[in-house]
Amino acid sequence: PTLARMNSPLPPPKEFYGTSVGHALGGFQLLEEGLKSYIGLHYTTVRALVAGRVHFDFQRADIQEAALGRLLTIFAKLCSNRPFVEEIRRLVKHRDHAAHQAFARLYGINTSDSEFVKMAEENLKLATQLATIQGQLHAEMKSLLAVLEQQGD
């Protein structure tokens, strides 16, 4: 950023809100990819553990086009960390609300600047929670990877 840009005032509330929606919804896209990676790694781990004993041919490609709701359903069956699964479920409920609200507020309903700021703060809080979830999901994947690596020993 240039010095002039760093000294510029905050963007108008409607623009700030639009940016906050992008951050929140982008966080859900990252969560979707993270769940696909976890599920794919879980499938790889199970395949390694049962190799030669039972047939298991589930792969990441099987869920590559799955929507977030479906990914969460599968993840919930694979992850033993129940509180974590429930935390993700609670956050996912906010996704559709954020998207529908954004469409209505940015392209339809008259909204005051103070309402835009309040909604932007809610979206940024959601984006922060999603970033925390990504870290926790990474920790779950590391645990799974440790099981896979033990199988190789």
Side-chain angles (χ1 to χ4, degrees), residues 64-130:
Q64 192 57 41
E65 300 301 318
L68 182 56
R70 180 72 183 133
L71 293 169
L72 185 51
T73 298
I74 295 168
F75 177 74
K77 293 176 185 272
L78 301 176
C79 181
S80 63
N81 185 341
R82 305 319 308 155
F84 181 54
V85 171
E86 291 309 312
E87 185 177 354
I88 295 174
R89 282 187 206 274
R90 279 191 299 278
L91 285 177
V92 167
K93 289 178 184 176
H94 295 287
R95 183 191 61 172
D96 289 341
H97 172 74
H100 293 143
Q101 181 183 63
F103 184 78
R105 299 300 178 140
L106 291 171
Y107 304 107
I109 299 171
N110 269 346
T111 304
S112 70
D113 284 354
S114 63
E115 287 177 287
F116 274 128
V117 169
K118 181 179 181 243
M119 292 183 303
E121 288 171 351
E122 290 169 2
N123 285 329
L124 294 175
K125 180 181 174 188
L126 185 58
T128 300
Q129 291 170 322
L130 286 162

Short mmCIF file of all heavy atoms in Angstrom, two decimals, residues 64-130:
data_model
loop_
_atom_site.label_atom_id
_atom_site.label_comp_id
_atom_site.label_asym_id
_atom_site.label_seq_id
_atom_site.Cartn_x
_atom_site.Cartn_y
_atom_site.Cartn_z
N GLN A 64 -15.43 -34.61 -4.40
CA GLN A 64 -14.87 -33.37 -4.94
C GLN A 64 -15.94 -32.34 -5.29
O GLN A 64 -15.73 -31.15 -5.12
CB GLN A 64 -13.99 -33.67 -6.16
CG GLN A 64 -13.15 -32.51 -6.59
CD GLN A 64 -12.24 -31.96 -5.49
OE1 GLN A 64 -11.65 -32.70 -4.72
NE2 GLN A 64 -12.15 -30.65 -5.39
N GLU A 65 -17.08 -32.78 -5.77
CA GLU A 65 -18.14 -31.85 -6.17
C GLU A 65 -19.22 -31.69 -5.10
O GLU A 65 -20.22 -31.02 -5.33
CB GLU A 65 -18.78 -32.32 -7.48
CG GLU A 65 -17.80 -32.41 -8.64
CD GLU A 65 -17.12 -31.09 -8.96
OE1 GLU A 65 -17.79 -30.05 -8.95
OE2 GLU A 65 -15.89 -31.10 -9.21
N ALA A 66 -19.03 -32.29 -3.94
CA ALA A 66 -20.05 -32.25 -2.88
C ALA A 66 -20.18 -30.84 -2.29
O ALA A 66 -19.20 -30.11 -2.17
CB ALA A 66 -19.70 -33.24 -1.78
N ALA A 67 -21.40 -30.49 -1.93
CA ALA A 67 -21.68 -29.21 -1.30
C ALA A 67 -21.29 -29.25 0.18
O ALA A 67 -21.09 -30.33 0.75
CB ALA A 67 -23.17 -28.89 -1.44
N LEU A 68 -21.20 -28.09 0.78
CA LEU A 68 -20.75 -27.98 2.16
C LEU A 68 -21.60 -28.82 3.11
O LEU A 68 -21.07 -29.50 3.99
CB LEU A 68 -20.75 -26.52 2.60
CG LEU A 68 -20.27 -26.21 4.02
CD1 LEU A 68 -18.86 -26.75 4.26
CD2 LEU A 68 -20.32 -24.71 4.26
N GLY A 69 -22.91 -28.82 2.94
CA GLY A 69 -23.78 -29.60 3.82
C GLY A 69 -23.48 -31.09 3.75
O GLY A 69 -23.41 -31.76 4.78
N ARG A 70 -23.28 -31.59 2.56
CA ARG A 70 -22.94 -33.01 2.39
C ARG A 70 -21.57 -33.32 2.98
O ARG A 70 -21.38 -34.36 3.63
CB ARG A 70 -22.98 -33.39 0.91
CG ARG A 70 -22.65 -34.82 0.62
CD ARG A 70 -23.78 -35.74 1.07
NE ARG A 70 -23.40 -37.12 0.84
CZ ARG A 70 -23.54 -38.08 1.74
NH1 ARG A 70 -24.09 -37.82 2.90
NH2 ARG A 70 -23.16 -39.29 1.47
N LEU A 71 -20.61 -32.43 2.76
CA LEU A 71 -19.27 -32.63 3.32
C LEU A 71 -19.33 -32.68 4.85
O LEU A 71 -18.67 -33.51 5.47
CB LEU A 71 -18.33 -31.52 2.87
CG LEU A 71 -18.00 -31.49 1.38
CD1 LEU A 71 -17.28 -30.20 1.03
CD2 LEU A 71 -17.18 -32.71 0.99
N LEU A 72 -20.13 -31.82 5.42
CA LEU A 72 -20.25 -31.79 6.88
C LEU A 72 -20.89 -33.07 7.41
O LEU A 72 -20.48 -33.60 8.44
CB LEU A 72 -21.04 -30.56 7.33
CG LEU A 72 -21.14 -30.33 8.82
CD1 LEU A 72 -19.78 -30.37 9.51
CD2 LEU A 72 -21.83 -29.01 9.10
N THR A 73 -21.87 -33.60 6.68
CA THR A 73 -22.50 -34.87 7.07
C THR A 73 -21.47 -36.00 7.08
O THR A 73 -21.41 -36.80 8.02
CB THR A 73 -23.67 -35.20 6.13
OG1 THR A 73 -24.65 -34.17 6.25
CG2 THR A 73 -24.29 -36.55 6.45
N ILE A 74 -20.65 -36.06 6.04
CA ILE A 74 -19.61 -37.10 5.96
C ILE A 74 -18.56 -36.88 7.05
O ILE A 74 -18.17 -37.82 7.75
CB ILE A 74 -18.95 -37.09 4.56
CG1 ILE A 74 -19.97 -37.48 3.49
CG2 ILE A 74 -17.75 -38.04 4.53
CD1 ILE A 74 -19.49 -37.23 2.06
N PHE A 75 -18.12 -35.63 7.21
CA PHE A 75 -17.12 -35.30 8.22
C PHE A 75 -17.59 -35.72 9.61
O PHE A 75 -16.82 -36.28 10.39
CB PHE A 75 -16.81 -33.80 8.18
CG PHE A 75 -15.83 -33.34 9.21
CD1 PHE A 75 -14.48 -33.63 9.09
CD2 PHE A 75 -16.26 -32.62 10.32
CE1 PHE A 75 -13.58 -33.20 10.05
CE2 PHE A 75 -15.37 -32.19 11.28
CZ PHE A 75 -14.02 -32.48 11.15
N ALA A 76 -18.85 -35.48 9.90
CA ALA A 76 -19.41 -35.82 11.21
C ALA A 76 -19.35 -37.32 11.48
O ALA A 76 -19.24 -37.75 12.63
CB ALA A 76 -20.85 -35.32 11.31
N LYS A 77 -19.39 -38.14 10.44
CA LYS A 77 -19.30 -39.59 10.60
C LYS A 77 -17.86 -40.07 10.75
O LYS A 77 -17.62 -41.17 11.23
CB LYS A 77 -19.97 -40.29 9.41
CG LYS A 77 -21.47 -40.06 9.36
CD LYS A 77 -22.07 -40.69 8.12
CE LYS A 77 -23.52 -40.37 8.01
NZ LYS A 77 -24.39 -41.29 8.69
N LEU A 78 -16.91 -39.22 10.35
CA LEU A 78 -15.51 -39.61 10.37
C LEU A 78 -14.73 -39.03 11.55
O LEU A 78 -13.75 -39.63 12.00
CB LEU A 78 -14.82 -39.19 9.06
CG LEU A 78 -15.40 -39.76 7.77
CD1 LEU A 78 -14.66 -39.17 6.57
CD2 LEU A 78 -15.33 -41.27 7.77
N CYS A 79 -15.12 -37.87 12.01
CA CYS A 79 -14.37 -37.18 13.07
C CYS A 79 -14.96 -37.50 14.43
O CYS A 79 -16.16 -37.32 14.66
CB CYS A 79 -14.42 -35.67 12.82
SG CYS A 79 -13.49 -34.72 14.04
N SER A 80 -14.11 -37.95 15.35
CA SER A 80 -14.59 -38.32 16.68
C SER A 80 -14.68 -37.12 17.63
O SER A 80 -15.20 -37.26 18.73
CB SER A 80 -13.66 -39.38 17.28
OG SER A 80 -12.36 -38.85 17.44
N ASN A 81 -14.22 -35.96 17.21
CA ASN A 81 -14.26 -34.76 18.05
C ASN A 81 -15.64 -34.12 17.93
O ASN A 81 -15.87 -33.20 17.15
CB ASN A 81 -13.15 -33.80 17.62
CG ASN A 81 -13.04 -32.59 18.51
OD1 ASN A 81 -13.95 -32.24 19.24
ND2 ASN A 81 -11.89 -31.92 18.42
N ARG A 82 -16.59 -34.62 18.72
CA ARG A 82 -17.99 -34.17 18.64
C ARG A 82 -18.16 -32.67 18.86
O ARG A 82 -18.90 -32.03 18.13
CB ARG A 82 -18.88 -34.94 19.62
CG ARG A 82 -18.87 -36.45 19.53
CD ARG A 82 -18.87 -37.12 18.17
NE ARG A 82 -19.89 -36.68 17.23
CZ ARG A 82 -19.79 -36.76 15.91
NH1 ARG A 82 -18.72 -37.29 15.36
NH2 ARG A 82 -20.73 -36.34 15.13
N PRO A 83 -17.52 -32.08 19.88
CA PRO A 83 -17.69 -30.63 20.07
C PRO A 83 -17.23 -29.83 18.85
O PRO A 83 -17.86 -28.83 18.48
CB PRO A 83 -16.82 -30.32 21.29
CG PRO A 83 -16.72 -31.61 22.04
CD PRO A 83 -16.72 -32.68 20.97
N PHE A 84 -16.17 -30.29 18.21
CA PHE A 84 -15.67 -29.61 17.01
C PHE A 84 -16.69 -29.71 15.88
O PHE A 84 -16.97 -28.73 15.19
CB PHE A 84 -14.32 -30.20 16.61
CG PHE A 84 -13.69 -29.55 15.41
CD1 PHE A 84 -13.51 -28.17 15.36
CD2 PHE A 84 -13.27 -30.31 14.34
CE1 PHE A 84 -12.93 -27.57 14.25
CE2 PHE A 84 -12.68 -29.72 13.24
CZ PHE A 84 -12.51 -28.35 13.19
N VAL A 85 -17.24 -30.89 15.68
CA VAL A 85 -18.25 -31.09 14.63
C VAL A 85 -19.44 -30.16 14.89
O VAL A 85 -19.93 -29.50 13.97
CB VAL A 85 -18.71 -32.56 14.57
CG1 VAL A 85 -19.92 -32.73 13.67
CG2 VAL A 85 -17.57 -33.47 14.12
N GLU A 86 -19.89 -30.08 16.13
CA GLU A 86 -21.03 -29.22 16.47
C GLU A 86 -20.70 -27.74 16.28
O GLU A 86 -21.55 -26.96 15.86
CB GLU A 86 -21.51 -29.49 17.89
CG GLU A 86 -22.17 -30.85 18.04
CD GLU A 86 -23.25 -31.12 17.00
OE1 GLU A 86 -24.12 -30.24 16.78
OE2 GLU A 86 -23.22 -32.20 16.37
N GLU A 87 -19.46 -27.36 16.56
CA GLU A 87 -19.05 -25.97 16.35
C GLU A 87 -19.11 -25.63 14.86
O GLU A 87 -19.59 -24.54 14.48
CB GLU A 87 -17.62 -25.77 16.88
CG GLU A 87 -17.15 -24.35 16.83
CD GLU A 87 -15.77 -24.18 17.43
OE1 GLU A 87 -15.20 -25.13 18.00
OE2 GLU A 87 -15.25 -23.05 17.33
N ILE A 88 -18.66 -26.54 14.02
CA ILE A 88 -18.74 -26.31 12.58
C ILE A 88 -20.20 -26.22 12.15
O ILE A 88 -20.58 -25.34 11.37
CB ILE A 88 -18.00 -27.40 11.78
CG1 ILE A 88 -16.50 -27.35 12.07
CG2 ILE A 88 -18.25 -27.24 10.28
CD1 ILE A 88 -15.71 -28.48 11.45
N ARG A 89 -21.04 -27.11 12.65
CA ARG A 89 -22.47 -27.07 12.30
C ARG A 89 -23.08 -25.71 12.64
O ARG A 89 -23.86 -25.16 11.85
CB ARG A 89 -23.24 -28.16 13.06
CG ARG A 89 -23.10 -29.54 12.51
CD ARG A 89 -24.07 -30.46 13.27
NE ARG A 89 -23.63 -31.82 13.28
CZ ARG A 89 -23.88 -32.71 12.32
NH1 ARG A 89 -24.57 -32.35 11.27
NH2 ARG A 89 -23.45 -33.95 12.42
N ARG A 90 -22.76 -25.18 13.81
CA ARG A 90 -23.30 -23.88 14.23
C ARG A 90 -22.87 -22.78 13.26
O ARG A 90 -23.67 -21.92 12.89
CB ARG A 90 -22.86 -23.54 15.64
CG ARG A 90 -23.69 -24.21 16.73
CD ARG A 90 -23.39 -23.64 18.11
NE ARG A 90 -22.00 -23.81 18.53
CZ ARG A 90 -21.50 -24.93 19.06
NH1 ARG A 90 -22.27 -25.97 19.26
NH2 ARG A 90 -20.23 -25.00 19.42
N LEU A 91 -21.60 -22.81 12.86
CA LEU A 91 -21.12 -21.77 11.95
C LEU A 91 -21.73 -21.89 10.56
O LEU A 91 -22.06 -20.88 9.94
CB LEU A 91 -19.60 -21.83 11.85
CG LEU A 91 -18.83 -21.28 13.04
CD1 LEU A 91 -17.34 -21.47 12.84
CD2 LEU A 91 -19.15 -19.82 13.28
N VAL A 92 -21.90 -23.11 10.08
CA VAL A 92 -22.42 -23.31 8.73
C VAL A 92 -23.84 -22.77 8.61
O VAL A 92 -24.24 -22.28 7.55
CB VAL A 92 -22.33 -24.81 8.33
CG1 VAL A 92 -23.14 -25.11 7.10
CG2 VAL A 92 -20.86 -25.19 8.11
N LYS A 93 -24.58 -22.78 9.69
CA LYS A 93 -25.95 -22.24 9.66
C LYS A 93 -25.95 -20.75 9.30
O LYS A 93 -26.93 -20.24 8.80
CB LYS A 93 -26.64 -22.45 11.01
CG LYS A 93 -26.98 -23.88 11.28
CD LYS A 93 -27.62 -24.04 12.64
CE LYS A 93 -27.87 -25.51 12.94
NZ LYS A 93 -28.41 -25.71 14.29
N HIS A 94 -24.85 -20.06 9.56
CA HIS A 94 -24.76 -18.63 9.28
C HIS A 94 -24.44 -18.32 7.82
O HIS A 94 -24.62 -17.18 7.39
CB HIS A 94 -23.70 -17.98 10.17
CG HIS A 94 -24.03 -18.02 11.62
ND1 HIS A 94 -25.00 -17.24 12.19
CD2 HIS A 94 -23.54 -18.78 12.63
CE1 HIS A 94 -25.09 -17.50 13.48
NE2 HIS A 94 -24.21 -18.43 13.77
N ARG A 95 -23.96 -19.30 7.09
CA ARG A 95 -23.54 -19.05 5.71
C ARG A 95 -24.67 -18.56 4.83
O ARG A 95 -24.56 -17.52 4.17
CB ARG A 95 -22.90 -20.30 5.10
CG ARG A 95 -22.40 -20.01 3.68
CD ARG A 95 -22.01 -21.22 2.94
NE ARG A 95 -23.16 -22.10 2.80
CZ ARG A 95 -23.18 -23.18 2.07
NH1 ARG A 95 -22.12 -23.52 1.40
NH2 ARG A 95 -24.24 -23.93 1.99
N ASP A 96 -25.75 -19.31 4.78
CA ASP A 96 -26.86 -18.92 3.90
C ASP A 96 -27.45 -17.58 4.34
O ASP A 96 -27.80 -16.75 3.50
CB ASP A 96 -27.93 -20.01 3.88
CG ASP A 96 -27.47 -21.25 3.12
OD1 ASP A 96 -26.49 -21.16 2.35
OD2 ASP A 96 -28.08 -22.32 3.32
N HIS A 97 -27.52 -17.38 5.65
CA HIS A 97 -28.04 -16.11 6.15
C HIS A 97 -27.17 -14.95 5.66
O HIS A 97 -27.68 -13.93 5.17
CB HIS A 97 -28.11 -16.12 7.68
CG HIS A 97 -28.45 -14.79 8.26
ND1 HIS A 97 -29.73 -14.27 8.20
CD2 HIS A 97 -27.69 -13.86 8.90
CE1 HIS A 97 -29.72 -13.07 8.78
NE2 HIS A 97 -28.50 -12.81 9.21
N ALA A 98 -25.86 -15.11 5.77
CA ALA A 98 -24.93 -14.05 5.35
C ALA A 98 -25.08 -13.77 3.86
O ALA A 98 -25.11 -12.61 3.43
CB ALA A 98 -23.50 -14.43 5.69
N ALA A 99 -25.19 -14.82 3.06
CA ALA A 99 -25.30 -14.65 1.61
C ALA A 99 -26.63 -13.99 1.23
O ALA A 99 -26.65 -13.05 0.42
CB ALA A 99 -25.15 -16.00 0.91
N HIS A 100 -27.73 -14.46 1.79
CA HIS A 100 -29.04 -13.90 1.46
C HIS A 100 -29.16 -12.46 1.94
O HIS A 100 -29.69 -11.59 1.25
CB HIS A 100 -30.16 -14.75 2.05
CG HIS A 100 -30.25 -16.09 1.42
ND1 HIS A 100 -30.55 -17.23 2.14
CD2 HIS A 100 -30.05 -16.53 0.15
CE1 HIS A 100 -30.54 -18.28 1.34
NE2 HIS A 100 -30.23 -17.87 0.13
N GLN A 101 -28.64 -12.22 3.15
CA GLN A 101 -28.68 -10.87 3.69
C GLN A 101 -27.87 -9.92 2.80
O GLN A 101 -28.30 -8.81 2.52
CB GLN A 101 -28.12 -10.86 5.12
CG GLN A 101 -28.15 -9.50 5.77
CD GLN A 101 -27.53 -9.54 7.15
OE1 GLN A 101 -26.34 -9.82 7.27
NE2 GLN A 101 -28.32 -9.28 8.17
N ALA A 102 -26.72 -10.36 2.35
CA ALA A 102 -25.88 -9.53 1.51
C ALA A 102 -26.59 -9.17 0.21
O ALA A 102 -26.58 -8.01 -0.22
CB ALA A 102 -24.56 -10.24 1.21
N PHE A 103 -27.22 -10.16 -0.40
CA PHE A 103 -27.92 -9.88 -1.66
C PHE A 103 -29.01 -8.84 -1.43
O PHE A 103 -29.13 -7.86 -2.17
CB PHE A 103 -28.52 -11.17 -2.24
CG PHE A 103 -29.18 -10.96 -3.56
CD1 PHE A 103 -28.42 -10.86 -4.71
CD2 PHE A 103 -30.55 -10.84 -3.65
CE1 PHE A 103 -29.02 -10.65 -5.94
CE2 PHE A 103 -31.16 -10.63 -4.87
CZ PHE A 103 -30.40 -10.52 -6.03
N ALA A 104 -29.81 -9.03 -0.38
CA ALA A 104 -30.91 -8.11 -0.09
C ALA A 104 -30.40 -6.72 0.26
O ALA A 104 -30.92 -5.71 -0.22
CB ALA A 104 -31.75 -8.67 1.06
N ARG A 105 -29.36 -6.65 1.09
CA ARG A 105 -28.87 -5.35 1.56
C ARG A 105 -28.06 -4.60 0.51
O ARG A 105 -28.12 -3.38 0.44
CB ARG A 105 -28.03 -5.51 2.83
CG ARG A 105 -28.78 -6.11 3.99
CD ARG A 105 -29.97 -5.26 4.38
NE ARG A 105 -30.70 -5.88 5.46
CZ ARG A 105 -31.23 -5.22 6.47
NH1 ARG A 105 -31.12 -3.92 6.54
NH2 ARG A 105 -31.88 -5.86 7.41
N LEU A 106 -27.31 -5.31 -0.29
CA LEU A 106 -26.48 -4.63 -1.28
C LEU A 106 -27.26 -4.25 -2.54
O LEU A 106 -26.91 -3.30 -3.22
CB LEU A 106 -25.27 -5.49 -1.65
CG LEU A 106 -24.23 -5.68 -0.54
CD1 LEU A 106 -23.20 -6.72 -0.95
CD2 LEU A 106 -23.56 -4.35 -0.20
N TYR A 107 -28.31 -5.01 -2.84
CA TYR A 107 -29.01 -4.79 -4.11
C TYR A 107 -30.50 -4.50 -3.96
O TYR A 107 -31.20 -4.41 -4.95
CB TYR A 107 -28.82 -6.00 -5.02
CG TYR A 107 -27.36 -6.31 -5.24
CD1 TYR A 107 -26.77 -7.41 -4.64
CD2 TYR A 107 -26.56 -5.46 -6.00
CE1 TYR A 107 -25.42 -7.68 -4.81
CE2 TYR A 107 -25.21 -5.71 -6.16
CZ TYR A 107 -24.66 -6.82 -5.57
OH TYR A 107 -23.32 -7.09 -5.73
N GLY A 108 -30.99 -4.36 -2.74
CA GLY A 108 -32.42 -4.16 -2.59
C GLY A 108 -32.78 -3.25 -1.44
O GLY A 108 -32.91 -2.04 -1.60
N ILE A 109 -32.92 -3.82 -0.29
CA ILE A 109 -33.42 -3.12 0.89
C ILE A 109 -32.54 -1.91 1.23
O ILE A 109 -31.32 -2.02 1.28
CB ILE A 109 -33.44 -4.09 2.10
CG1 ILE A 109 -34.36 -5.26 1.82
CG2 ILE A 109 -33.84 -3.36 3.37
CD1 ILE A 109 -34.28 -6.37 2.86
N ASN A 110 -33.18 -0.77 1.46
CA ASN A 110 -32.45 0.40 1.93
C ASN A 110 -31.89 0.11 3.32
O ASN A 110 -32.61 -0.39 4.18
CB ASN A 110 -33.36 1.62 2.00
CG ASN A 110 -33.36 2.40 0.71
OD1 ASN A 110 -32.50 2.20 -0.13
ND2 ASN A 110 -34.32 3.30 0.58
N THR A 111 -30.63 0.40 3.50
CA THR A 111 -29.96 0.08 4.76
C THR A 111 -29.16 1.30 5.20
O THR A 111 -28.47 1.92 4.39
CB THR A 111 -29.03 -1.13 4.57
OG1 THR A 111 -29.81 -2.22 4.05
CG2 THR A 111 -28.39 -1.54 5.86
N SER A 112 -29.26 1.62 6.47
CA SER A 112 -28.51 2.77 7.00
C SER A 112 -27.03 2.42 7.15
O SER A 112 -26.66 1.25 7.23
CB SER A 112 -29.08 3.19 8.36
OG SER A 112 -28.76 2.22 9.34
N ASP A 113 -26.22 3.44 7.21
CA ASP A 113 -24.79 3.23 7.41
C ASP A 113 -24.52 2.48 8.71
O ASP A 113 -23.67 1.58 8.74
CB ASP A 113 -24.05 4.57 7.43
CG ASP A 113 -23.88 5.17 6.04
OD1 ASP A 113 -24.25 4.49 5.05
OD2 ASP A 113 -23.40 6.32 5.95
N SER A 114 -25.25 2.81 9.77
CA SER A 114 -25.01 2.13 11.05
C SER A 114 -25.38 0.65 10.95
O SER A 114 -24.71 -0.20 11.55
CB SER A 114 -25.76 2.81 12.18
OG SER A 114 -27.16 2.73 11.98
N GLU A 115 -26.41 0.32 10.18
CA GLU A 115 -26.76 -1.10 9.99
C GLU A 115 -25.67 -1.82 9.20
O GLU A 115 -25.33 -2.96 9.52
CB GLU A 115 -28.10 -1.22 9.26
CG GLU A 115 -29.31 -0.87 10.10
CD GLU A 115 -30.59 -0.95 9.29
OE1 GLU A 115 -30.80 -0.05 8.45
OE2 GLU A 115 -31.35 -1.92 9.50
N PHE A 116 -25.14 -1.16 8.17
CA PHE A 116 -24.06 -1.76 7.38
C PHE A 116 -22.85 -2.05 8.28
O PHE A 116 -22.25 -3.11 8.19
CB PHE A 116 -23.64 -0.87 6.22
CG PHE A 116 -24.46 -1.05 4.97
CD1 PHE A 116 -25.03 0.05 4.34
CD2 PHE A 116 -24.66 -2.31 4.42
CE1 PHE A 116 -25.77 -0.11 3.18
CE2 PHE A 116 -25.40 -2.48 3.26
CZ PHE A 116 -25.96 -1.37 2.64
N VAL A 117 -22.52 -1.12 9.15
CA VAL A 117 -21.36 -1.30 10.03
C VAL A 117 -21.62 -2.46 10.99
O VAL A 117 -20.74 -3.31 11.19
CB VAL A 117 -21.04 0.01 10.80
CG1 VAL A 117 -20.02 -0.24 11.89
CG2 VAL A 117 -20.54 1.07 9.83
N LYS A 118 -22.80 -2.52 11.56
CA LYS A 118 -23.14 -3.60 12.49
C LYS A 118 -23.06 -4.96 11.79
O LYS A 118 -22.48 -5.92 12.31
CB LYS A 118 -24.54 -3.39 13.07
CG LYS A 118 -24.97 -4.46 14.06
CD LYS A 118 -26.36 -4.17 14.62
CE LYS A 118 -26.73 -5.24 15.61
NZ LYS A 118 -27.88 -6.02 15.21
N MET A 119 -23.63 -5.05 10.59
CA MET A 119 -23.60 -6.32 9.85
C MET A 119 -22.18 -6.67 9.43
O MET A 119 -21.80 -7.85 9.42
CB MET A 119 -24.53 -6.26 8.65
CG MET A 119 -26.00 -6.19 9.04
SD MET A 119 -27.15 -6.19 7.63
CE MET A 119 -26.62 -4.77 6.69
N ALA A 120 -21.38 -5.67 9.09
CA ALA A 120 -19.98 -5.91 8.72
C ALA A 120 -19.22 -6.49 9.90
O ALA A 120 -18.43 -7.43 9.74
CB ALA A 120 -19.33 -4.61 8.24
N GLU A 121 -19.46 -5.95 11.09
CA GLU A 121 -18.80 -6.47 12.29
C GLU A 121 -19.19 -7.92 12.54
O GLU A 121 -18.35 -8.74 12.92
CB GLU A 121 -19.14 -5.59 13.50
CG GLU A 121 -18.47 -4.24 13.45
CD GLU A 121 -18.96 -3.26 14.51
OE1 GLU A 121 -19.95 -3.56 15.21
OE2 GLU A 121 -18.34 -2.18 14.62
N GLU A 122 -20.46 -8.27 12.31
CA GLU A 122 -20.90 -9.66 12.47
C GLU A 122 -20.19 -10.56 11.47
O GLU A 122 -19.76 -11.67 11.81
CB GLU A 122 -22.42 -9.75 12.27
CG GLU A 122 -23.22 -9.12 13.39
CD GLU A 122 -24.71 -8.99 13.06
OE1 GLU A 122 -25.14 -9.43 11.97
OE2 GLU A 122 -25.43 -8.42 13.90
N ASN A 123 -20.05 -10.09 10.23
CA ASN A 123 -19.37 -10.89 9.21
C ASN A 123 -17.89 -11.08 9.53
O ASN A 123 -17.34 -12.16 9.32
CB ASN A 123 -19.52 -10.25 7.83
CG ASN A 123 -20.90 -10.45 7.26
OD1 ASN A 123 -21.56 -11.46 7.53
ND2 ASN A 123 -21.36 -9.50 6.48
N LEU A 124 -17.26 -10.04 10.03
CA LEU A 124 -15.85 -10.16 10.38
C LEU A 124 -15.65 -11.09 11.56
O LEU A 124 -14.67 -11.84 11.62
CB LEU A 124 -15.24 -8.78 10.63
CG LEU A 124 -15.18 -7.88 9.39
CD1 LEU A 124 -14.68 -6.50 9.74
CD2 LEU A 124 -14.33 -8.51 8.29
N LYS A 125 -16.59 -11.09 12.50
CA LYS A 125 -16.54 -12.04 13.62
C LYS A 125 -16.67 -13.46 13.08
O LYS A 125 -15.93 -14.37 13.49
CB LYS A 125 -17.66 -11.74 14.62
CG LYS A 125 -17.69 -12.68 15.80
CD LYS A 125 -18.84 -12.35 16.74
CE LYS A 125 -18.93 -13.39 17.84
NZ LYS A 125 -20.12 -13.23 18.66
N LEU A 126 -17.59 -13.66 12.15
CA LEU A 126 -17.78 -14.97 11.54
C LEU A 126 -16.51 -15.41 10.80
O LEU A 126 -16.08 -16.56 10.92
CB LEU A 126 -18.98 -14.92 10.58
CG LEU A 126 -19.42 -16.20 9.91
CD1 LEU A 126 -19.78 -17.28 10.94
CD2 LEU A 126 -20.63 -15.91 9.01
N ALA A 127 -15.90 -14.49 10.05
CA ALA A 127 -14.67 -14.81 9.32
C ALA A 127 -13.55 -15.21 10.29
O ALA A 127 -12.78 -16.13 10.02
CB ALA A 127 -14.24 -13.62 8.47
N THR A 128 -13.49 -14.53 11.44
CA THR A 128 -12.48 -14.86 12.45
C THR A 128 -12.73 -16.24 13.03
O THR A 128 -11.80 -17.03 13.22
CB THR A 128 -12.48 -13.79 13.56
OG1 THR A 128 -12.18 -12.52 12.97
CG2 THR A 128 -11.46 -14.10 14.64
N GLN A 129 -13.98 -16.56 13.30
CA GLN A 129 -14.34 -17.89 13.82
C GLN A 129 -13.98 -18.97 12.80
O GLN A 129 -13.48 -20.03 13.16
CB GLN A 129 -15.83 -17.95 14.16
CG GLN A 129 -16.20 -17.11 15.35
CD GLN A 129 -17.72 -17.00 15.53
OE1 GLN A 129 -18.46 -16.90 14.57
NE2 GLN A 129 -18.15 -17.01 16.78
N LEU A 130 -14.22 -18.68 11.53
CA LEU A 130 -13.88 -19.65 10.48
C LEU A 130 -12.37 -19.87 10.39
O LEU A 130 -11.91 -20.98 10.16
CB LEU A 130 -14.45 -19.20 9.14
CG LEU A 130 -15.95 -19.38 9.01
CD1 LEU A 130 -16.51 -18.53 7.88
CD2 LEU A 130 -16.29 -20.85 8.79
#
